[in-house]
Amino acid sequence: MNFVSSIPDPEQLSAIMAAIAAFSAVLVVSWPYLFRNGLARRMEKVENERKLLRKRERARLTAERKPMSLRSEPRKLFKTIVEGFNLAKQAEDGEIAERLRMAGYRGSAPVIAFLAIRLIAPVVIFGIATLYFLFLLKPAVPLYAGFGIAAAAGALGYFVPSIYVRNRITKRQKAIRRAWPEALDLLLITVESGMSVESAFRKVAEEIGTQSAEVAEEVALTTAELSYLQDRRQAYENLGKRTGVEGVRAVVTSLIQAEKYGTPLGQALRVMAQESRDMRMSEAEKRAAALPPKLTVPMIIFFLPVLFAVIITPAAIQIAGIQ
């Protein structure tokens, strides 16, 4: 067989190579039009879906959240009680107002309501205890003893509003402490992207609202105070006082120092975000470590009697059958 005749001559080889090159060039140029890249379209679809979900979640939170106003007027009954018992000085007490702000109640109306309820609660509880003790239980005790017990219950009612406010403060601080590291991460990203502090706080308030309404409320209020207060340091200090959380106070201190000395804020926020996250993890580990001792008593009361019954019952049945 003659293999030489099957080899194309140089002209044919050049033509074939030229045709391949031309086809490759046309294919490269027309590739984006023939086979469109779906990555950009998918990314745009994901971003639109994210915006839609975020908008829907904000609308839900706005619908569920009760309208609040710092200028809300107190109820006439509460105002009459406060004025009648001359409690105006206590209403002006900064400690009560500060504790109510830490619980999420702002303005003069919650202070007046708190003072009025603290007077009404003992009377109401005394009346309920008297009716329940004398007419429903009907104990065989002297009448003065029943009234004494009802009076003691009414005296405890004086502390019910304070206990409620304390529980609200604890729950609110727990929610703020849980979501604060994420808020610091968002604040760090916005600050390092070139935004001003006011814009950064505003953006954090918008983004963190779906996760923690408490943090979003405090950050939004700080943004408003940064806009109209002459001293920006006062706005930062108010944020620390309203929350009462150590992590927030540390960030407030860094913001004040950055405002005063012009130091970079990004590195400090990064360190504090990591510290807040470590503190949250440490708190979770402490709770997990404290779980076994707490389960000891329930296991002794509920688990061991059942276990003993399961083990001893067959032996008891056999002994009874033998006898």
Side-chain angles (χ1 to χ4, degrees):
M1 181 180 292
N2 189 4
F3 294 97
V4 178
S5 59
S6 61
I7 300 175
D9 56 358
E11 294 181 357
Q12 293 179 353
L13 186 59
S14 299
I16 293 172
M17 295 298 294
I20 294 174
F23 177 75
S24 301
V26 173
L27 183 62
V28 169
V29 173
S30 60
W31 185 272
Y33 301 97
L34 297 177
F35 305 96
R36 294 187 177 275
N37 187 11
L39 179 60
R41 186 172 62 255
R42 290 196 299 271
M43 293 297 294
E44 184 179 359
K45 185 177 180 180
V46 170
E47 183 66 23
N48 293 333
E49 186 69 20
R50 184 183 302 172
K51 291 181 180 179
L52 181 61
L53 290 175
R54 190 180 302 163
K55 183 178 179 180
R56 189 183 306 163
E57 188 67 18
R58 288 176 182 170
R60 184 183 65 82
L61 290 175
T62 304
E64 293 179 356
R65 193 179 303 168
K66 296 181 180 180
M68 298 179 63
S69 175
L70 297 179
R71 298 180 179 272
S72 59
E73 292 293 332
R75 295 185 178 181
K76 293 183 178 180
L77 176 62
F78 295 159
K79 192 173 182 180
T80 303
I81 293 174
V82 171
E83 292 177 353
F85 286 90
N86 196 15
L87 299 177
K89 293 183 179 180
Q90 295 187 18
E92 296 176 357
D93 188 6
E95 184 178 358
I96 297 177
E98 183 177 353
R99 292 189 62 82
L100 289 175
R101 282 196 297 267
M102 292 175 65
Y105 303 106
R106 301 182 180 87
S108 60
V111 178
I112 295 177
F114 175 79
L115 295 175
I117 292 174
R118 196 165 62 175
L119 289 179
I120 296 174
V123 178
V124 174
I125 294 178
F126 173 76
I128 294 175
T130 302
L131 294 176
Y132 182 78
F133 189 79
L134 296 179
F135 296 98
L136 295 179
L137 294 181
K138 297 180 180 179
V141 294
L143 186 61
Y144 65 87
F147 278 107
I149 296 174
L156 293 177
Y158 179 82
F159 302 98
V160 170
S162 300
I163 295 173
Y164 174 76
V165 172
R166 191 181 301 113
N167 291 335
R168 285 278 301 179
I169 292 173
T170 303
K171 292 180 180 179
R172 186 177 177 83
Q173 289 179 347
K174 182 179 179 181
I176 293 174
R177 196 179 295 110
R178 182 178 300 173
W180 187 246
E182 284 75 13
L184 283 183
D185 291 336
L186 290 174
L187 185 62
L188 174 63
I189 293 172
T190 52
V191 168
E192 289 188 342
S193 65
M195 288 186 178
S196 61
V197 178
E198 293 87 349
S199 302
F201 270 88
R202 187 179 298 109
K203 189 66 176 177
V204 171
E206 293 175 357
E207 297 295 333
I208 204 66
T210 56
Q211 182 178 356
S212 176
E214 293 82 4
V215 176
E217 183 180 352
E218 296 296 338
V219 174
L221 187 57
T222 304
T223 306
E225 289 183 346
L226 287 172
S227 301
Y228 70 81
L229 286 181
Q230 296 181 356
D231 189 6
R232 298 162 62 91
R233 178 177 179 177
Q234 185 64 36
Y236 296 143
E237 291 178 351
N238 290 340
L239 175 61
K241 291 179 181 179
R242 288 195 307 268
T243 57
V245 180
E246 292 297 330
V248 180
R249 290 178 179 175
V251 175
V252 166
T253 303
S254 298
L255 290 172
I256 293 174
Q257 291 178 354
E259 186 75 20
K260 184 177 181 180
Y261 301 106
T263 56
L265 190 59
Q267 185 63 28
L269 289 176
R270 185 178 289 106
V271 172
M272 284 183 293
Q274 185 63 36
E275 289 180 354
S276 300
R277 196 173 288 105
D278 293 340
M279 291 176 60
R280 185 175 60 182
M281 182 60 65
S282 176
E283 184 178 355
E285 291 176 354
K286 288 180 181 179
R287 291 185 178 181
L291 189 60
K294 293 180 180 179
L295 291 177
T296 302
V297 176
M299 288 183 65
I300 293 174
I301 296 176
F302 299 104
F303 183 74
L304 291 181
V306 177
L307 181 61
F308 290 153
V310 172
I311 295 174
I312 296 174
T313 301
I317 294 174
Q318 290 181 1
I319 294 173
I322 293 174
Q323 293 178 355

